Amino acid sequence: NGINLDNFQICEAESIRAKYGLGDRHIILGVASIWMEEKGWDDFMQMAPLLRDDEVIVLVGVTEEQKKMLPANVIGISRTENVHQLAELYSAAVAFVNPTWQDNYPTVNLEAIACGTPVVTYQTGGSVEAVTEDTGFVVRQGDVDGLLKAFRTIVHRGKTYYEKRCRAYALAHFRKEDRYQDYLDLYNRLIK
């Protein structure tokens, strides 16, 4: 799969931090079109009480009902106003955490990496395919402590350690024009 690397790129994040009152806290970002158990909703709720004062979870894609259930250290956003705002959130986050229990090749992982943000995910289906030493961490399913440990390793190492590595990986592997050409090349080989 490919994505638009002009839309998803490293951007300034101060305005998005101000908009949601994030201050200088270390952001754990989660994004889903629908939050449910299979996407890791329960895992984020288990993680919330384990956070330090300088850490915060931001979840994009929550319903109004889900917002009412969120603890104080979890910020719920129903939807972003546009793609640029989503890229700003990816860029502001220290890590994109994807505790999915079933997935094939999630585009959200690619978008985060393209914005210079490493991914921390469960060893689930295709969710691990874009994660390398330079682009994040993979932990066993259900290991919420492992997710948090990987996140804190990124904090300790520094987000800047990952930014250029993630972006370079995205440019080499996720450019939509290149991936579309791969499909065309395969099709042409098959019909010859």
Side-chain angles (χ1 to χ4, degrees):
N1 293 343
I3 59 172
N4 185 329
L5 293 177
D6 293 329
N7 288 340
F8 293 101
Q9 59 181 301
I10 301 168
C11 26
E12 180 277 321
E14 289 311 308
S15 61
I16 206 78
R17 283 181 168 280
K19 178 177 177 120
Y20 292 108
L22 300 169
D24 59 355
R25 291 181 286 178
H26 302 296
I27 301 168
I28 298 170
L29 180 64
V31 177
S33 54
I34 300 172
W35 280 107
M36 60 183 111
E37 185 178 343
E38 293 83 7
K39 288 293 183 183
W41 173 263
D42 294 343
D43 304 81
F44 275 117
M45 294 308 106
Q46 290 173 36
M47 189 185 303
L50 306 174
L51 296 184
R52 299 173 181 155
D53 290 343
D54 65 345
E55 300 169 337
V56 64
I57 296 171
V58 176
L59 297 178
V60 177
V62 298
T63 65
E64 291 304 315
E65 286 299 309
Q66 288 171 324
K67 279 185 186 180
K68 294 174 188 172
M69 299 185 296
L70 295 176
N73 59 357
V74 180
I75 295 171
I77 301 170
S78 296
R79 61 185 328 168
T80 57
E81 295 168 16
N82 52 53
V83 173
H84 182 69
Q85 189 180 73
L86 182 56
E88 287 178 316
L89 283 166
Y90 283 128
S91 295
V94 169
F96 177 71
V97 175
N98 190 356
T100 183
W101 286 79
Q102 56 185 24
D103 223 320
N104 47 22
Y105 189 62
T107 306
V108 289
N109 289 5
L110 312 184
E111 293 169 352
I113 291 168
C115 293
T117 301
V119 172
V120 178
T121 190
Y122 284 156
Q123 189 156 1
T124 301
S127 190
V128 302
E129 291 183 30
V131 181
T132 69
E133 283 182 11
D134 290 331
T135 63
F137 293 90
V138 175
V139 302
R140 68 177 173 74
Q141 277 189 331
D143 186 2
V144 173
D145 290 329
L147 294 173
L148 205 48
K149 181 180 176 188
F151 168 75
R152 289 177 177 153
T153 298
I154 295 166
V155 170
H156 177 73
R157 191 173 278 166
K159 169 99 182 267
T160 54
Y161 174 85
Y162 292 94
E163 278 182 333
K164 288 181 182 175
R165 289 171 170 86
C166 284
R167 184 65 184 171
Y169 190 84
L171 290 168
H173 298 282
F174 306 153
R175 192 171 168 271
K176 67 179 177 150
E177 294 82 2
D178 295 340
R179 300 300 63 86
Y180 298 160
Q181 189 61 52
D182 289 343
Y183 283 114
L184 289 171
D185 292 346
L186 174 62
Y187 176 76
N188 286 326
R189 282 196 310 270
L190 291 172
I191 61 171
K192 288 184 181 178

